[in-house]
Each structure stands twice: as structure tokens, then as C-alpha cells.
Amino acid sequence: MEAAIILTYRCVCKCYMCNIWKYPTDPAEEIKPEHIEKLPNNLTFCNLTGGEPFLRDDIEEIVDIVMRKSRRVVISTNGWFTEKI
């Protein structure tokens, strides 16, 4: 079983091939770590995506949870937040 989790629709870039930045989510309404805890424990692959996942203040907590639940975790990022990556 695989999963793709859109963590946010917020993004600092305004890429031509994507308009997600025009419709940012309210951080208070984004998926929470306790929701991610409900995922099954036997995922073969999980993609954390967005917008820009590294805009999340709780990205480390989310990654910790997903690492326990999936054999392979990928974070789709634009690479802007090098200090967090």
C-alpha cells in the first residue's frame, strides 16, 4: 500500500508550471500529525508533498511518524529551505 500526503498548499515560490501558491491553505486547517498516526503501519511508500512541505513547523514530527509506518519516505520539495532539509 502506498500513500501521498499533501501537507500544505502554501509555497514561497511562484513557479510557472504550478499555481498552488495562489490558493494557500490556512495552517490551522492543514492535516495534523495525529491524523497521520491513523495511517496503516505497513506502507511500502509514502510521499510527503504540497505546496512546500518544509513550510510546516511540525515537519520533523510528521517525518518521524511516517518513518515508522512506511519502508520508503520521499519528501517532494522545491529545495528552498536548505537549512531544514
Side-chain angles (χ1 to χ4, degrees):
M1 185 180 304
E2 298 180 352
I5 304 169
I6 300 170
L7 296 178
T8 183
Y9 278 80
R10 294 176 286 141
C11 189
V12 295
C13 294
K14 294 182 176 156
C15 301
Y16 291 113
M17 53 79 162
C18 178
N19 66 357
I20 203 166
W21 55 272
K22 291 181 181 180
Y23 310 100
T25 47
D26 178 348
E29 295 177 353
E30 293 171 345
I31 192 167
K32 305 206 177 342
E34 54 266 25
H35 299 135
I36 296 170
E37 284 282 5
K38 295 179 181 182
L39 289 170
N41 291 321
N42 59 345
L43 296 173
T44 56
F45 174 81
C46 185
N47 181 11
L48 300 175
T49 187
E52 176 49 55
F54 285 101
L55 280 171
R56 294 285 301 249
D57 292 333
D58 56 357
I59 188 68
E60 288 184 51
E61 181 181 359
I62 290 169
V63 170
D64 286 343
I65 294 167
V66 174
M67 291 288 291
R68 291 192 321 262
K69 296 185 168 287
S70 181
R71 290 191 313 209
R72 181 171 178 240
V73 178
V74 171
I75 303 174
S76 296
T77 178
N78 61 25
W80 186 264
F81 295 101
T82 56
E83 75 284 351
K84 281 187 168 183
I85 296 170

